[in-house]
Amino acid sequence: MKDGFQLYDTHAHLGQARHSGRRQDADTLLRAMDAAQVDRALLIPFPVVEDYRREHDLIAAAVHRYPDRFAGAACLHPFLPEDDFRAEMRRCAEVLGFRALKLQPQYQALNPVSPRSDFLFACALEHRLPVIVHTGSGAPFSLPSLYIMPARKFPELPIVLGHAGGSVYMLETIVAASVCPNIYIELSSLMPHHIHEIINRVPAERLLAGSDLPESLITEMHKVLTMDIAEETKRKILWENPRALFG
Ligand SMILES: [Zn+2]
């Protein structure tokens, strides 16, 4: 099925979601990854959780048990007291070895254009953690074009636009990535012809694949695997880019 390609899912969730009641453990996720022949995944907490430290510990334990299969990402509410936010970010980066910070504007109403959001991007940059932001549902703060401002303010910080804005705002990700070399696009939830449109306009070095949920793993990976594009492009999207960004 995967014809020698290695597959990296840059959008997997682990833990317990308060908003949906969904639970995802490492072993069930690994079985889904094996069934889809996915080699490695970036584990991200669900957007709304009971206790963010506990969710981070859960992810760190999964990474510790399966270091060849998982990397970890942090997600914490931007309106926590700033000292608490910074302390947990330090713990995630320095103690737990996480490789990214997720922002969920559909549940965490942080205005990325406001200077009030600077601390989050500065903190991520300080710890060398790329920021992955959910885009699409949850407008206006999840609109892809809004991340042009922090991307320009923090040019050394990679910012990944998760879900590529969804099909409705997909064109905004092309605009944002065209004007900011540090903006990346994660392609989950798009139609294949949307992915083609993005590939035609954005350098392949800045594209990533993701599933969001295990039931979408095979579909999301196959969308890229079966496209009529250069093998080299597939290799970058499915493996080389995420390896470089998240380890
Ligand atoms: Zn997600």
Side-chain angles (χ1 to χ4, degrees):
M1 167 185 103
K2 63 181 194 171
D3 295 329
F5 287 99
Q6 284 177 289
L7 306 180
Y8 198 133
D9 175 10
T10 67
H11 191 152
H13 292 287
L14 195 84
Q16 188 165 2
R18 250 185 101 181
H19 56 299
S20 65
R22 193 176 174 115
R23 230 178 229 280
Q24 182 66 59
D25 66 74
D27 290 307
T28 317
L29 183 61
L30 267 183
R31 278 197 291 278
M33 286 167 66
D34 288 342
Q37 296 182 279
V38 170
D39 298 281
R40 192 166 170 82
L42 181 69
L43 302 179
I44 306 170
F46 283 104
V48 185
V49 299
E50 193 77 42
D51 177 345
Y52 60 93
R53 291 188 185 90
R54 193 177 63 201
E55 301 294 314
H56 291 157
D57 288 340
L58 256 177
I59 287 178
V63 173
H64 187 75
R65 268 174 72 204
Y66 303 105
D68 296 339
R69 307 299 300 278
F70 295 136
C75 182
L76 56 170
H77 204 288
F79 292 121
L80 284 170
E82 220 171 291
D83 285 349
D84 293 352
F85 186 94
R86 289 181 188 282
E88 181 63 1
M89 283 290 284
R90 194 173 312 114
R91 187 177 82 97
C92 286
E94 293 176 7
V95 182
L96 305 183
F98 284 3
R99 305 299 301 259
L101 169 68
K102 179 79 183 269
L103 174 64
Q104 298 275 15
Q106 79 281 36
Y107 293 103
Q108 306 167 343
L110 183 73
N111 174 358
V113 168
S114 154
R116 177 64 185 83
S117 70
D118 285 358
F119 82 96
L120 179 135
F121 298 101
C123 192
L125 182 59
E126 182 190 329
H127 294 293
R128 301 274 150 203
L129 301 179
V131 171
I132 304 170
V133 54
H134 164 103
T135 57
S137 63
F141 298 142
S142 64
L143 290 175
S145 58
L146 267 53
Y147 293 87
I148 292 173
M149 285 181 68
R152 286 195 160 159
K153 207 174 227 175
F154 301 95
E156 285 160 40
L157 174 70
I159 296 180
V160 179
L161 303 175
H163 303 306
S167 14
V168 179
Y169 303 116
M170 177 270 299
L171 294 173
E172 279 198 19
T173 64
I174 295 176
V175 174
S178 301
V179 297
C180 298
N182 53 328
I183 284 189
Y184 292 68
I185 301 175
E186 181 266 292
L187 302 163
S188 65
S189 88
L190 293 185
M191 306 277 279
H193 65 279
H194 292 146
I195 299 179
H196 253 299
E197 208 162 343
I198 290 177
I199 287 174
N200 286 338
R201 290 171 175 79
V202 178
E205 288 71 23
R206 285 194 269 136
L207 306 179
L208 307 162
S211 70
D212 204 6
L213 294 170
E215 54 266 43
S216 304
L217 252 184
I218 291 176
T219 307
E220 289 295 345
M221 293 296 152
H222 266 225
K223 275 199 279 187
V224 180
L225 277 171
T226 56
M227 284 183 80
D228 187 16
I229 53 174
E231 292 221 338
E232 186 52 27
T233 304
K234 293 182 189 177
R235 227 174 285 287
K236 284 177 181 162
I237 297 173
L238 295 168
W239 187 252
E240 291 169 15
N241 302 338
R243 275 300 262 184
L245 265 188
F246 309 123

